[in-house]
Amino acid sequence: MKFTDLLHVASSALSAQGTRLRVSAENLANSGTVNAPGEEAFKRKIVILEAVSGRDKGPTMVRVGEIAESEEEGSLKYEPAHPKANDQGYVLYPSISPVIEMADLRDAEKSYRANLQVIEGAKRLVRSALQIIR
């Protein structure tokens, strides 16, 4: 694998993991969001990553294939005093688990850091090679 290929693979993975971080943070931010009666609840978004082969059978890159919406329906909670409660007194909340979102955030953050370390290691390698040449 060429040196530049290494950087391309790591940077594509950084971009994909950055998207995962953003989407998980958006899900967390909307976990308590409620809409007016009759409106659909916020749907959890899921990032689907895919591997893409480079040109001329080069290295395999990572990219966001799709950002899909969860099929799970929201949950109804009985809160008759809530301003967005329906006629029966129920409020529709999104089916987002903060625990699952935090686990996704943690996983994406670890992958992001690992790819960042690959890039940092490559930069150190180049610096060392340049010092040897001097």
Side-chain angles (χ1 to χ4, degrees):
M1 180 184 278
K2 293 185 230 171
F3 182 75
T4 54
D5 291 344
L6 174 74
L7 293 176
H8 287 298
V9 171
S11 65
S12 72
L14 270 177
S15 177
Q17 296 305 329
T19 301
R20 277 185 68 203
L21 287 166
R22 182 185 56 76
V23 168
S24 286
E26 183 180 321
N27 287 339
L28 263 176
N30 285 294
S31 64
T33 303
V34 294
N35 292 335
E39 291 182 6
E40 204 173 283
F42 178 84
K43 298 262 187 186
R44 178 178 186 256
K45 294 186 174 116
I46 304 163
V47 177
I48 300 170
L49 302 179
E50 63 183 16
V52 180
S53 295
R55 288 177 275 153
D56 302 325
K57 298 197 184 218
T60 301
M61 308 292 213
V62 179
R63 77 171 182 201
V64 175
E66 177 184 1
I67 299 177
E69 284 188 350
S70 172
E71 295 296 320
E72 287 184 60
E73 293 296 321
S75 60
L76 288 171
K77 293 184 182 174
Y78 185 69
E79 296 178 12
H82 196 284
K84 293 195 177 177
N86 64 15
D87 294 339
Q88 292 84 29
Y90 288 94
V91 178
L92 180 63
Y93 284 91
S95 61
I96 296 174
S97 167
V99 173
I100 291 173
E101 293 307 321
M102 289 304 294
D104 282 352
L105 274 171
R106 190 177 196 127
D107 183 56
E109 187 255 344
K110 283 183 179 183
S111 295
Y112 189 91
R113 281 183 191 244
N115 286 294
L116 197 57
Q117 287 178 346
V118 168
I119 292 173
E120 290 297 323
K123 284 173 37 180
R124 281 193 301 275
L125 198 74
V126 168
R127 280 192 209 112
S128 296
L130 287 173
Q131 285 183 347
I132 290 171
I133 293 172
R134 289 184 191 171

